[in-house]
């Protein structure tokens, strides 16, 4: 059940990132920032999705750890947007990312303890 919740949340989050990147582009934000945010913000869900068909428990954990790293990088870029004076930003996107990070970490810890 947690995996489908995580899959749904990460897909919804990817959509939020895409929409934020569009708004950032409309505000003439630096293209490199937009590209990095778009890449890592959508990669979280892609790695979660890929973890649904692992070759082994270790592969499952590895894919989710990759998703966690991408989530950390996404957080960095979102915080840059949050603290920039003229960038559009909604706190909810950061809160949604925190939820995703908690779920990923819980699943990783459970998978490790069941090994």
């Amino acid at each position: 059940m947690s995996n489908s919740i995580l899959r749904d949340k990460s897909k919804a989050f990817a959509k939020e990132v895409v929409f934020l990147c569009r708004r950032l582009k409309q505000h003439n934000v630096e293209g490199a920032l937009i590209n990095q945010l778009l890449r890592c913000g959508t990669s979280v869900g892609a790695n979660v999705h890929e973890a649904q068909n692992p070759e082994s428990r270790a592969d499952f954990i590895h894919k989710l750890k990759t998703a966690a790293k991408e989530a950390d990088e996404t957080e960095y870029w979102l915080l840059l947007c949050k603290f920039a004076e003229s960038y559009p930003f909604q706190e909810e996107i950061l809160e949604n990312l925190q939820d995703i990070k908690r779920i990923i970490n819980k699943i990783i810890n459970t998978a490790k303890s069941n090994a």
Side-chain angles (χ1 to χ4, degrees):
M1 181 143 120
S2 295
N3 287 337
S4 69
I5 291 170
L6 177 59
R7 194 174 52 241
D8 293 345
K9 283 183 173 285
S10 61
K11 188 189 316 180
F13 179 76
K15 288 182 193 177
E16 289 180 88
V17 167
V18 169
F19 292 135
L20 174 59
C21 288
R22 285 182 187 161
R23 288 196 317 271
L24 291 168
K25 189 173 184 177
Q26 291 170 347
H27 283 82
N28 297 318
V29 171
E30 178 65 38
L33 184 147
I34 294 169
N35 292 339
Q36 286 295 108
L37 176 58
L38 185 61
R39 184 198 59 75
C40 61
T42 56
S43 181
V44 175
N47 282 289
V48 165
H49 187 81
E50 191 176 342
Q52 300 306 299
N53 294 304
E55 294 177 14
S56 64
R57 181 184 308 268
D59 185 46
F60 175 74
I61 292 169
H62 174 74
K63 285 176 173 48
L64 286 182
K65 282 186 173 183
T66 302
K69 287 180 181 182
E70 294 293 337
D72 285 341
E73 183 180 347
T74 302
E75 181 178 32
Y76 171 80
W77 294 111
L78 287 175
L79 289 172
L80 283 180
C81 292
K82 177 180 179 176
F83 294 113
E85 291 182 22
S86 61
Y87 292 6
F89 184 79
Q90 293 177 336
E91 192 69 33
E92 184 179 352
I93 194 168
L94 203 49
E95 293 168 4
N96 292 342
L97 180 60
Q98 296 305 322
D99 286 344
I100 290 167
K101 287 175 67 172
R102 278 191 289 277
I103 295 168
I104 289 171
N105 288 325
K106 183 170 177 105
I107 293 171
I108 289 170
N109 289 335
T110 300
K112 284 181 176 179
S113 67
N114 291 335

